[in-house]
Amino acid sequence: MLKLIQQATVYAPEYLGVRDVLIGDTHILKIATQIPVAADYEVEVLNARGKLLFPGLIDGHVHILGGGGEGGYHTRTPEIVLTDITLGGVTTVVGCLGTDGTTRSMASLLAKARGLEEEGISAYIYTGSYQVPIRTLTGSIMDDLILIDKVVGCGEIAISDHRSSQPTREEFARIVGDTRVGGILSGKAGLVNIHMGDGKRMLSYLRYVVEETEIPPSNMLPTHINRSTRLLQDGADYAKSLGGYVDLTTSSDPDYLEEDEVKASTGLKWMLEQGVPAQQITFSSDGQGSMPVFGREGDFLGLGVGKVTSLYREVKDAILQDKVDITQALQTVTTNPANLLKLEKKGRIAVGCDADLVLADQDTFAIDTLLARGEWMVRDGAAVKKGTFE
Protein backbone atom coordinates (compact mmCIF):
# COMPACT_ATOMS: atom_id res chain seq x y z
CA MET A 1 0.00 0.00 0.00
CA LEU A 2 1.06 3.54 -0.76
CA LYS A 3 1.04 6.10 2.04
CA LEU A 4 0.39 9.79 1.48
CA ILE A 5 1.20 12.40 4.11
CA GLN A 6 -0.70 15.54 3.23
CA GLN A 7 0.01 19.19 3.98
CA ALA A 8 2.80 18.79 6.53
CA THR A 9 5.25 21.59 7.22
CA VAL A 10 8.45 19.93 6.05
CA TYR A 11 11.96 20.35 7.42
CA ALA A 12 14.15 18.08 5.33
CA PRO A 13 15.99 19.21 7.59
CA GLU A 14 16.09 22.48 5.60
CA TYR A 15 12.71 24.21 5.41
CA LEU A 16 10.66 23.14 2.37
CA GLY A 17 7.30 24.64 3.31
CA VAL A 18 3.94 22.85 3.28
CA ARG A 19 4.19 19.70 1.19
CA ASP A 20 2.62 16.33 0.43
CA VAL A 21 4.94 13.31 0.69
CA LEU A 22 4.16 10.03 -1.07
CA ILE A 23 5.67 6.81 0.27
CA GLY A 24 5.87 3.48 -1.52
CA ASP A 25 7.11 0.42 0.36
CA THR A 26 10.23 1.64 2.22
CA HIS A 27 11.09 4.78 0.25
CA ILE A 28 9.93 8.30 -0.51
CA LEU A 29 8.49 8.40 -4.02
CA LYS A 30 7.43 12.01 -4.45
CA ILE A 31 7.38 15.39 -2.69
CA ALA A 32 5.12 18.12 -4.05
CA THR A 33 2.88 21.02 -3.09
CA GLN A 34 -0.08 18.74 -3.70
CA ILE A 35 -0.23 15.09 -4.76
CA PRO A 36 -3.64 13.94 -6.04
CA VAL A 37 -4.90 10.53 -4.89
CA ALA A 38 -5.32 8.28 -7.93
CA ALA A 39 -8.47 6.15 -7.86
CA ASP A 40 -6.61 3.22 -9.42
CA TYR A 41 -4.30 2.81 -6.42
CA GLU A 42 -4.90 1.91 -2.79
CA VAL A 43 -3.50 4.82 -0.82
CA GLU A 44 -3.50 5.33 2.95
CA VAL A 45 -3.87 9.06 3.52
CA LEU A 46 -2.72 10.91 6.65
CA ASN A 47 -3.76 14.52 7.08
CA ALA A 48 -0.77 16.24 8.66
CA ARG A 49 -1.96 19.83 8.53
CA GLY A 50 -0.60 21.71 11.55
CA LYS A 51 2.24 19.24 12.06
CA LEU A 52 5.96 19.33 11.37
CA LEU A 53 7.53 16.59 9.27
CA PHE A 54 11.25 15.89 9.56
CA PRO A 55 13.63 12.95 9.06
CA GLY A 56 13.78 10.07 11.51
CA LEU A 57 16.58 10.68 14.00
CA ILE A 58 19.96 8.93 13.78
CA ASP A 59 21.51 7.98 17.11
CA GLY A 60 25.18 7.21 16.51
CA HIS A 61 26.04 5.92 19.99
CA VAL A 62 23.70 3.41 21.66
CA HIS A 63 24.53 0.54 24.01
CA ILE A 64 21.94 -1.75 22.44
CA LEU A 65 23.21 -4.71 24.50
CA GLY A 66 23.26 -2.65 27.66
CA GLY A 67 26.47 -1.44 29.23
CA GLY A 68 28.08 -0.62 32.50
CA GLY A 69 29.31 -2.86 35.26
CA GLU A 70 31.54 -0.20 36.83
CA GLY A 71 29.86 -0.93 40.17
CA GLY A 72 30.05 -4.72 39.88
CA TYR A 73 28.09 -7.37 37.99
CA HIS A 74 24.71 -6.22 39.32
CA THR A 75 25.20 -2.80 37.68
CA ARG A 76 25.28 -4.17 34.12
CA THR A 77 22.45 -2.28 32.41
CA PRO A 78 19.78 -4.22 30.46
CA GLU A 79 19.43 -4.60 26.69
CA ILE A 80 17.41 -2.00 24.86
CA VAL A 81 13.94 -2.74 23.49
CA LEU A 82 12.35 -1.38 20.35
CA THR A 83 10.04 1.22 21.91
CA ASP A 84 12.94 2.67 23.94
CA ILE A 85 14.13 3.80 20.52
CA THR A 86 11.01 4.57 18.49
CA LEU A 87 9.16 6.62 21.10
CA GLY A 88 12.10 9.02 20.93
CA GLY A 89 11.73 9.55 17.18
CA VAL A 90 14.82 7.48 16.37
CA THR A 91 14.82 5.24 13.29
CA THR A 92 18.54 4.44 12.97
CA VAL A 93 21.01 3.41 15.68
CA VAL A 94 24.69 2.51 15.81
CA GLY A 95 25.43 0.03 18.58
CA CYS A 96 28.61 -0.10 20.65
CA LEU A 97 30.00 -2.07 23.59
CA GLY A 98 31.65 0.50 25.86
CA THR A 99 33.54 -0.30 29.04
CA ASP A 100 32.84 -4.04 29.08
CA GLY A 101 34.24 -5.97 26.12
CA THR A 102 34.34 -9.25 28.05
CA THR A 103 30.82 -10.14 29.19
CA ARG A 104 29.41 -8.13 26.25
CA SER A 105 30.73 -9.66 23.03
CA MET A 106 30.94 -8.45 19.45
CA ALA A 107 28.96 -11.50 18.27
CA SER A 108 26.11 -10.59 20.62
CA LEU A 109 26.26 -6.95 19.51
CA LEU A 110 25.93 -8.00 15.88
CA ALA A 111 23.03 -10.33 16.67
CA LYS A 112 21.22 -7.59 18.61
CA ALA A 113 21.60 -5.16 15.70
CA ARG A 114 20.16 -7.73 13.31
CA GLY A 115 17.28 -8.34 15.72
CA LEU A 116 16.42 -4.64 15.91
CA GLU A 117 16.46 -4.45 12.14
CA GLU A 118 14.07 -7.41 11.90
CA GLU A 119 11.77 -5.51 14.27
CA GLY A 120 11.66 -2.56 11.88
CA ILE A 121 14.41 0.03 12.44
CA SER A 122 17.88 0.36 10.88
CA ALA A 123 20.82 -0.74 13.01
CA TYR A 124 24.60 -0.77 12.57
CA ILE A 125 27.53 -1.38 14.92
CA TYR A 126 31.06 -0.31 15.76
CA THR A 127 33.70 -2.98 16.21
CA GLY A 128 35.65 -2.82 19.48
CA SER A 129 35.06 -1.36 22.93
CA TYR A 130 36.98 0.91 25.33
CA GLN A 131 40.01 -1.35 25.24
CA VAL A 132 43.15 -1.43 23.13
CA PRO A 133 44.07 -3.85 21.54
CA ILE A 134 40.68 -3.76 19.82
CA ARG A 135 38.36 -6.72 20.28
CA THR A 136 36.90 -7.62 16.91
CA LEU A 137 34.85 -10.36 15.24
CA THR A 138 37.44 -11.48 12.68
CA GLY A 139 40.65 -10.52 14.50
CA SER A 140 41.12 -7.34 12.44
CA ILE A 141 39.42 -3.92 12.36
CA MET A 142 39.91 -3.77 8.62
CA ASP A 143 38.50 -7.26 8.03
CA ASP A 144 35.44 -6.52 10.19
CA LEU A 145 34.66 -3.45 8.08
CA ILE A 146 35.22 -5.22 4.77
CA LEU A 147 33.50 -8.52 5.52
CA ILE A 148 30.65 -7.69 7.94
CA ASP A 149 27.87 -5.55 6.52
CA LYS A 150 26.70 -4.01 9.78
CA VAL A 151 30.15 -2.76 10.90
CA VAL A 152 30.54 0.91 9.93
CA GLY A 153 33.46 1.87 12.14
CA CYS A 154 35.35 1.27 15.36
CA GLY A 155 34.57 2.31 18.90
CA GLU A 156 33.94 3.52 21.39
CA ILE A 157 37.68 3.78 22.08
CA ALA A 158 38.37 5.40 25.46
CA ILE A 159 41.06 8.06 25.83
CA SER A 160 41.83 10.67 28.46
CA ASP A 161 39.96 8.50 30.98
CA HIS A 162 40.95 6.40 34.00
CA ARG A 163 39.00 3.46 32.47
CA SER A 164 40.90 3.45 29.17
CA SER A 165 43.77 1.14 28.25
CA GLN A 166 46.02 4.20 28.11
CA PRO A 167 47.12 3.67 24.49
CA THR A 168 49.92 5.78 23.09
CA ARG A 169 49.03 8.38 20.51
CA GLU A 170 50.82 6.27 17.88
CA GLU A 171 48.65 3.27 18.75
CA PHE A 172 45.59 5.48 18.54
CA ALA A 173 46.65 6.81 15.12
CA ARG A 174 47.11 3.24 13.87
CA ILE A 175 43.56 2.36 14.94
CA VAL A 176 42.19 5.37 13.09
CA GLY A 177 44.30 4.52 10.02
CA ASP A 178 43.13 0.89 9.91
CA THR A 179 39.52 1.98 10.35
CA ARG A 180 39.84 4.53 7.55
CA VAL A 181 41.32 2.03 5.09
CA GLY A 182 38.70 -0.57 6.01
CA GLY A 183 36.06 2.02 5.27
CA ILE A 184 37.63 2.94 1.93
CA LEU A 185 37.79 -0.69 0.80
CA SER A 186 34.23 -1.46 1.91
CA GLY A 187 32.58 1.78 0.80
CA LYS A 188 31.68 2.60 4.40
CA ALA A 189 32.36 5.46 6.77
CA GLY A 190 35.36 4.02 8.59
CA LEU A 191 34.48 6.26 11.53
CA VAL A 192 36.18 5.95 14.92
CA ASN A 193 33.84 6.78 17.80
CA ILE A 194 35.95 8.07 20.68
CA HIS A 195 34.92 8.14 24.34
CA MET A 196 36.34 11.31 25.85
CA GLY A 197 37.04 11.20 29.57
CA ASP A 198 37.75 14.21 31.75
CA GLY A 199 41.53 13.76 31.80
CA LYS A 200 44.01 16.54 31.17
CA ARG A 201 45.02 15.27 27.70
CA MET A 202 41.57 16.12 26.31
CA LEU A 203 41.65 16.11 22.46
CA SER A 204 45.46 16.01 22.09
CA TYR A 205 45.40 12.54 20.48
CA LEU A 206 42.98 13.69 17.80
CA ARG A 207 45.07 16.80 17.17
CA TYR A 208 48.11 14.56 16.73
CA VAL A 209 46.31 12.48 14.06
CA VAL A 210 45.14 15.53 12.12
CA GLU A 211 48.42 17.46 12.38
CA GLU A 212 50.97 14.64 12.09
CA THR A 213 49.33 12.14 9.73
CA GLU A 214 47.44 12.28 6.44
CA ILE A 215 44.16 11.11 7.98
CA PRO A 216 41.31 13.68 7.75
CA PRO A 217 39.27 14.65 10.83
CA SER A 218 36.11 13.18 9.26
CA ASN A 219 37.28 9.71 10.35
CA MET A 220 37.07 10.62 14.06
CA LEU A 221 34.11 11.58 16.21
CA PRO A 222 34.89 12.39 19.87
CA THR A 223 31.82 12.02 22.07
CA HIS A 224 30.89 13.27 25.57
CA ILE A 225 32.40 16.65 24.59
CA ASN A 226 29.92 18.38 26.90
CA ARG A 227 31.04 16.52 30.05
CA SER A 228 32.80 19.73 31.17
CA THR A 229 33.18 23.33 30.06
CA ARG A 230 36.93 22.75 29.70
CA LEU A 231 36.41 19.88 27.24
CA LEU A 232 33.65 21.77 25.43
CA GLN A 233 36.02 24.70 24.89
CA ASP A 234 38.76 22.37 23.64
CA GLY A 235 36.21 20.77 21.31
CA ALA A 236 35.18 24.12 19.88
CA ASP A 237 38.82 25.04 19.23
CA TYR A 238 39.50 21.64 17.64
CA ALA A 239 36.48 22.03 15.37
CA LYS A 240 37.31 25.57 14.28
CA SER A 241 41.09 25.29 13.95
CA LEU A 242 41.39 21.78 12.48
CA GLY A 243 37.97 21.12 10.95
CA GLY A 244 37.20 18.41 13.49
CA TYR A 245 33.80 16.95 14.28
CA VAL A 246 32.39 16.82 17.82
CA ASP A 247 29.53 14.93 19.45
CA LEU A 248 27.47 16.10 22.43
CA THR A 249 25.90 13.47 24.69
CA THR A 250 22.24 13.98 25.57
CA SER A 251 21.82 11.38 28.35
CA SER A 252 22.12 13.53 31.40
CA ASP A 253 19.38 14.61 33.77
CA PRO A 254 18.97 18.39 33.27
CA ASP A 255 17.96 18.69 36.92
CA TYR A 256 21.00 16.79 38.21
CA LEU A 257 23.92 17.71 35.97
CA GLU A 258 27.30 16.75 37.37
CA GLU A 259 29.63 19.55 38.39
CA ASP A 260 30.78 21.49 35.31
CA GLU A 261 28.72 19.30 32.92
CA VAL A 262 26.96 21.19 30.12
CA LYS A 263 23.49 20.34 28.84
CA ALA A 264 23.67 19.26 25.18
CA SER A 265 21.19 21.85 23.92
CA THR A 266 23.06 24.63 25.75
CA GLY A 267 26.38 23.29 24.46
CA LEU A 268 25.06 23.39 20.90
CA LYS A 269 23.97 27.00 21.23
CA TRP A 270 27.31 27.99 22.74
CA MET A 271 29.32 26.22 20.02
CA LEU A 272 27.32 27.88 17.26
CA GLU A 273 27.89 31.26 18.91
CA GLN A 274 31.64 30.53 18.98
CA GLY A 275 31.60 30.02 15.22
CA VAL A 276 31.74 26.23 15.07
CA PRO A 277 30.15 25.23 11.73
CA ALA A 278 26.76 23.59 12.31
CA GLN A 279 27.63 20.66 10.04
CA GLN A 280 30.49 19.62 12.37
CA ILE A 281 28.29 19.04 15.43
CA THR A 282 26.29 15.91 16.23
CA PHE A 283 24.19 14.67 19.14
CA SER A 284 24.05 11.07 20.39
CA SER A 285 22.26 9.64 23.40
CA ASP A 286 24.64 7.08 24.95
CA GLY A 287 21.34 5.28 25.36
CA GLN A 288 21.15 2.24 27.65
CA GLY A 289 24.73 2.87 28.69
CA SER A 290 25.68 3.30 32.30
CA MET A 291 26.13 6.79 33.68
CA PRO A 292 28.53 6.16 36.57
CA VAL A 293 29.54 8.78 39.09
CA PHE A 294 33.09 8.59 40.43
CA GLY A 295 34.76 10.39 43.32
CA ARG A 296 37.99 12.38 43.12
CA GLU A 297 40.06 9.21 43.63
CA GLY A 298 38.18 7.27 40.96
CA ASP A 299 35.96 5.46 43.48
CA PHE A 300 32.50 4.42 42.28
CA LEU A 301 29.68 6.45 43.85
CA GLY A 302 26.53 5.63 41.89
CA LEU A 303 24.98 4.79 38.54
CA GLY A 304 22.24 5.91 36.15
CA VAL A 305 21.10 4.60 32.77
CA GLY A 306 21.18 6.57 29.52
CA LYS A 307 17.99 6.98 27.49
CA VAL A 308 17.63 7.18 23.71
CA THR A 309 14.61 9.43 24.27
CA SER A 310 17.00 12.10 25.60
CA LEU A 311 18.20 12.66 22.02
CA TYR A 312 14.98 14.30 20.88
CA ARG A 313 14.50 16.00 24.25
CA GLU A 314 17.71 17.95 23.73
CA VAL A 315 16.87 18.79 20.12
CA LYS A 316 13.49 20.09 21.26
CA ASP A 317 15.08 22.06 24.11
CA ALA A 318 17.62 23.57 21.71
CA ILE A 319 14.76 24.87 19.57
CA LEU A 320 12.22 25.90 22.21
CA GLN A 321 14.45 27.00 25.10
CA ASP A 322 17.82 27.92 23.60
CA LYS A 323 16.31 29.40 20.41
CA VAL A 324 18.59 27.50 18.05
CA ASP A 325 17.45 27.54 14.42
CA ILE A 326 15.24 24.49 13.72
CA THR A 327 17.32 23.32 10.77
CA GLN A 328 20.59 23.59 12.70
CA ALA A 329 19.14 21.70 15.68
CA LEU A 330 17.76 18.93 13.44
CA GLN A 331 21.05 18.67 11.53
CA THR A 332 22.77 17.30 14.65
CA VAL A 333 20.61 14.15 14.52
CA THR A 334 19.87 13.87 10.79
CA THR A 335 22.16 15.02 7.97
CA ASN A 336 25.31 15.46 10.08
CA PRO A 337 25.47 11.87 11.42
CA ALA A 338 24.21 10.56 8.07
CA ASN A 339 27.10 12.26 6.27
CA LEU A 340 29.73 11.11 8.79
CA LEU A 341 28.41 7.53 8.73
CA LYS A 342 27.93 7.59 4.92
CA LEU A 343 24.28 6.58 5.21
CA GLU A 344 23.16 8.14 1.93
CA LYS A 345 19.47 7.28 2.23
CA LYS A 346 19.16 8.38 5.86
CA GLY A 347 18.79 11.70 7.63
CA ARG A 348 16.97 13.66 4.93
CA ILE A 349 13.59 13.94 3.25
CA ALA A 350 14.17 13.53 -0.47
CA VAL A 351 12.94 11.33 -3.29
CA GLY A 352 14.65 7.93 -3.12
CA CYS A 353 15.56 8.23 0.56
CA ASP A 354 14.27 5.80 3.16
CA ALA A 355 10.84 6.65 4.51
CA ASP A 356 12.13 7.33 8.03
CA LEU A 357 9.87 10.17 9.12
CA VAL A 358 8.69 11.98 12.26
CA LEU A 359 5.51 14.02 12.58
CA ALA A 360 5.41 16.40 15.54
CA ASP A 361 3.11 19.09 16.88
CA GLN A 362 4.19 22.42 15.39
CA ASP A 363 3.83 24.25 18.71
CA THR A 364 5.01 21.78 21.37
CA PHE A 365 7.18 19.60 19.11
CA ALA A 366 5.68 16.53 20.83
CA ILE A 367 6.09 13.43 18.63
CA ASP A 368 2.80 12.25 17.14
CA THR A 369 3.82 9.76 14.44
CA LEU A 370 6.91 7.80 13.44
CA LEU A 371 7.57 5.76 10.33
CA ALA A 372 10.66 3.58 9.94
CA ARG A 373 11.33 2.41 6.40
CA GLY A 374 7.71 3.16 5.59
CA GLU A 375 6.22 1.19 8.49
CA TRP A 376 4.14 2.79 11.24
CA MET A 377 5.94 2.60 14.57
CA VAL A 378 4.20 5.34 16.53
CA ARG A 379 0.69 6.77 15.99
CA ASP A 380 -0.98 9.46 18.10
CA GLY A 381 2.03 9.47 20.41
CA ALA A 382 1.79 5.75 21.27
CA ALA A 383 3.79 2.77 20.03
CA VAL A 384 1.80 0.69 17.53
CA LYS A 385 4.64 -1.76 17.02
CA LYS A 386 6.54 -3.24 19.94
CA GLY A 387 9.62 -5.39 20.21
CA THR A 388 9.36 -9.17 20.24
CA PHE A 389 9.46 -9.49 24.02
CA GLU A 390 7.74 -6.25 25.02
Side-chain angles (χ1 to χ4, degrees), residues 209-226:
V209 171
V210 176
E211 293 173 339
E212 302 298 331
T213 78
E214 297 72 38
I215 299 169
S218 57
N219 284 106
M220 298 180 291
L221 184 61
T223 190
H224 314 320
I225 285 292
N226 53 317

Side-chain angles (χ1 to χ4, degrees), residues 307-320:
K307 299 294 183 184
V308 168
T309 51
S310 69
L311 191 71
Y312 184 61
R313 179 197 71 204
E314 290 300 301
V315 171
K316 187 168 60 173
D317 285 355
I319 297 166
L320 297 178

Side-chain angles (χ1 to χ4, degrees), residues 282-308:
T282 64
F283 280 3
S284 66
S285 72
D286 205 8
Q288 220 59 26
S290 66
M291 298 169 60
V293 179
F294 295 97
R296 294 185 182 276
E297 303 301 321
D299 50 317
F300 176 78
L301 300 178
L303 187 74
V305 180
K307 299 294 183 184
V308 168

Side-chain angles (χ1 to χ4, degrees), residues 23-36:
I23 299 162
D25 193 16
T26 63
H27 295 88
I28 297 171
L29 299 181
K30 187 175 182 179
I31 303 169
T33 304
Q34 188 172 12
I35 300 174

Side-chain angles (χ1 to χ4, degrees), residues 320-342:
L320 297 178
Q321 296 180 12
D322 295 295
K323 308 305 179 185
V324 173
D325 175 75
I326 294 177
T327 294
Q328 290 183 326
L330 288 172
Q331 277 182 303
T332 65
V333 291
T334 57
T335 49
N336 292 355
N339 291 339
L340 274 175
L341 291 164
K342 291 192 175 180

Side-chain angles (χ1 to χ4, degrees), residues 16-314:
L16 298 185
V18 177
R19 294 287 187 272
D20 286 2
V21 177
L22 182 65
I23 299 162
D25 193 16
T26 63
H27 295 88
I28 297 171
L29 299 181
K30 187 175 182 179
I31 303 169
T33 304
Q34 188 172 12
I35 300 174
V37 179
D40 296 340
Y41 296 96
E42 186 177 2
V43 181
E44 184 177 4
V45 178
L46 177 63
N47 185 345
R49 191 179 299 277
K51 291 184 172 62
L52 304 174
L53 182 69
F54 49 85
L57 278 53
I58 300 169
D59 195 339
H61 186 119
V62 183
H63 296 274
I64 56 177
L65 276 181
E70 288 98 332
Y73 299 114
H74 69 286
T75 64
R76 296 168 73 250
T77 63
E79 288 190 13
I80 204 163
V81 295
L82 183 66
T83 59
D84 290 336
I85 298 168
T86 56
L87 287 172
V90 173
T91 53
T92 301
V93 297
V94 184
C96 57
L97 288 181
T99 317
D100 184 2
T102 300
T103 69
R104 313 278 190 182
S105 73
M106 284 302 305
S108 293
L109 186 68
L110 177 60
K112 179 66 176 181
R114 294 200 188 284
L116 287 170
E117 191 137 304
E118 288 175 357
E119 290 177 337
I121 66 166
S122 300
Y124 305 89
I125 63 172
Y126 296 115
T127 189
S129 58
Y130 271 24
Q131 287 77 38
V132 176
I134 304 300
R135 302 193 178 197
T136 64
L137 281 155
T138 64
S140 160
I141 295 172
M142 204 176 299
D143 289 357
D144 276 13
L145 274 155
I146 295 169
L147 300 176
I148 300 170
D149 57 340
K150 290 296 177 191
V151 177
V152 293
C154 179
E156 61 178 302
I157 308 300
I159 61 173
S160 196
D161 193 292
H162 64 96
R163 292 164 290 175
S164 83
S165 297
Q166 311 303 326
T168 66
R169 60 184 189 177
E170 289 79 14
E171 287 176 313
F172 176 76
R174 190 169 297 112
I175 289 166
V176 181
D178 286 350
T179 305
R180 173 174 170 77
V181 174
I184 290 171
L185 294 175
S186 61
K188 298 177 185 174
L191 182 68
V192 180
N193 186 276
I194 303 152
H195 166 99
M196 295 303 307
D198 55 6
K200 61 184 179 181
R201 288 172 290 182
M202 295 193 288
L203 291 159
S204 60
Y205 278 31
L206 285 80
R207 293 178 187 276
Y208 170 78
V209 171
V210 176
E211 293 173 339
E212 302 298 331
T213 78
E214 297 72 38
I215 299 169
S218 57
N219 284 106
M220 298 180 291
L221 184 61
T223 190
H224 314 320
I225 285 292
N226 53 317
R227 69 162 61 248
S228 70
T229 54
R230 186 170 60 104
L231 186 57
L232 190 71
Q233 290 166 353
D234 195 39
D237 181 73
Y238 167 71
K240 288 192 296 181
S241 63
L242 296 178
Y245 295 78
V246 291
D247 184 70
L248 282 69
T249 300
T250 60
S251 275
S252 61
D253 189 331
D255 295 325
Y256 297 98
L257 292 173
E258 292 185 36
E259 184 181 356
D260 207 31
E261 186 179 357
V262 181
K263 196 170 179 288
S265 62
T266 305
L268 171 63
K269 179 183 180 180
W270 181 84
M271 281 199 153
L272 292 172
E273 290 174 345
Q274 301 309 303
V276 177
Q279 66 269 23
Q280 291 170 222
I281 307 170
T282 64
F283 280 3
S284 66
S285 72
D286 205 8
Q288 220 59 26
S290 66
M291 298 169 60
V293 179
F294 295 97
R296 294 185 182 276
E297 303 301 321
D299 50 317
F300 176 78
L301 300 178
L303 187 74
V305 180
K307 299 294 183 184
V308 168
T309 51
S310 69
L311 191 71
Y312 184 61
R313 179 197 71 204
E314 290 300 301

